[in-house]
Amino acid sequence: MTAHYPPLAPEHIDLSDTEFWGWPMADREAAFAMLRSLDHPPFYAEPEFIFETGPGYYALVRHADVVEASRNPDVFSSGRGATSIADLPVEFNEYFGSMINMDDPRHARLRRIVSRAFTPRMVQRFAADVAGIAAVIVDDLLATGPCDFVEHVAARLPLTVICQLMGIPDDSYAMVLRNTNVILSGMDPDLISEDMDEAVSQILGAAAELCWSWPVTRPPGTRCPTRWSC
């Protein structure tokens, strides 16, 4: 069954509406082409989130606008939650944030540190390990037969690689996947409660379990990789 939408006009497009992201790809591409043709970035109301709804946001849909914003962190800050439309509380963003939620100079300093571990030469050192993990997954897939591709392949491969790089034992993989899914759920009702208070408790609980599990795998004397004590 093919969905039919009215002829596209700016008022028909709401990037905050989850139904928009269910439109056929061709319709979404046409919508973004229309938005790029406007004289100014479109403005939308913020979707409901676990924190107080803000005044709204401008959607930058032109490449040049995105590049310009990326070069001006004083105006377009990532430090208050670059992966979230809503501005996150400082404590929440610090606890759950990553390098993508930082501005320079802090972002540049950490990026320089991390980049040393991902040079072509360093990546080549563990390329064989990644190939071995992939081979095991494919062998298991052949033995299992038809199955959920996301669970058995798409999620399993990066999860295994990341856990091995961090020294996390095999029996903790399910816990890591479960809790990271909750934290990164994006309010998906399949992963997290639709009740905002319960959702906050689930997210904080997932983070706490990951943090408390860290001492099992981290070298003695090192600290939990968050600003909060564990």
Side-chain angles (χ1 to χ4, degrees):
M1 181 176 179
T2 303
H4 296 280
Y5 297 96
L8 281 176
E11 59 268 24
H12 298 143
I13 304 167
D14 183 359
L15 301 186
S16 292
D17 187 350
T18 54
E19 291 188 3
F20 168 81
W21 301 100
W23 287 15
M25 178 63 74
D27 290 320
R28 279 182 283 154
E29 290 178 344
F32 278 109
M34 169 164 286
L35 295 180
R36 287 193 295 271
S37 72
L38 299 178
D39 293 334
H40 54 79
F43 186 82
Y44 297 104
E46 292 187 15
E48 185 178 357
F49 192 51
I50 58 179
F51 302 112
E52 182 178 352
T53 302
Y57 65 96
Y58 287 97
L60 304 185
V61 294
R62 296 175 179 170
H63 179 266
D65 292 339
V66 174
V67 171
E68 184 65 21
S70 300
R71 292 173 175 170
N72 291 275
D74 291 340
V75 178
F76 301 96
S77 174
S78 296
R80 298 189 65 181
T83 56
S84 169
I85 292 175
D87 287 340
L88 303 179
V90 174
E91 296 81 3
F92 194 93
N93 193 49
E94 183 70 16
Y95 194 38
F96 292 102
S98 64
M99 289 179 62
I100 199 172
N101 289 326
M102 296 179 187
D103 296 315
D104 288 338
R106 186 185 182 193
H107 177 271
R109 179 174 61 84
L110 292 180
R111 183 176 179 179
R112 284 194 296 270
I113 295 172
V114 173
S115 64
R116 297 169 190 166
F118 292 95
T119 62
R121 178 178 295 179
M122 292 295 291
V123 170
Q124 189 61 39
R125 290 175 59 181
F126 58 81
D129 293 335
V130 176
I133 294 169
V136 170
I137 290 175
V138 171
D139 289 343
D140 290 347
L141 187 64
L142 292 173
T144 302
C147 60
D148 186 325
F149 185 84
V150 171
E151 177 183 352
H152 290 84
V153 181
R156 183 181 172 188
L157 178 59
L159 174 69
T160 304
V161 171
I162 291 171
C163 286
Q164 287 195 3
L165 286 173
M166 296 180 67
I168 298 173
D170 295 359
D171 57 7
S172 294
Y173 288 7
M175 179 275 294
V176 172
L177 179 61
R178 181 180 68 255
N179 287 313
T180 52
N181 277 341
V182 169
I183 293 171
L184 302 175
S185 63
M187 304 309 293
D188 184 337
D190 290 338
L191 299 170
I192 198 170
S193 173
E194 295 184 71
D195 179 270
M196 293 301 174
D197 291 335
E198 290 183 4
V200 171
S201 296
Q202 287 176 305
I203 292 173
L204 293 176
E209 186 175 3
L210 286 172
C211 188
W212 280 106
S213 299
W214 187 263
V216 176
T217 60
R218 70 177 190 255
T222 58
R223 299 181 60 187
C224 176
T226 71
R227 66 184 295 273
W228 290 19
S229 60
C230 295

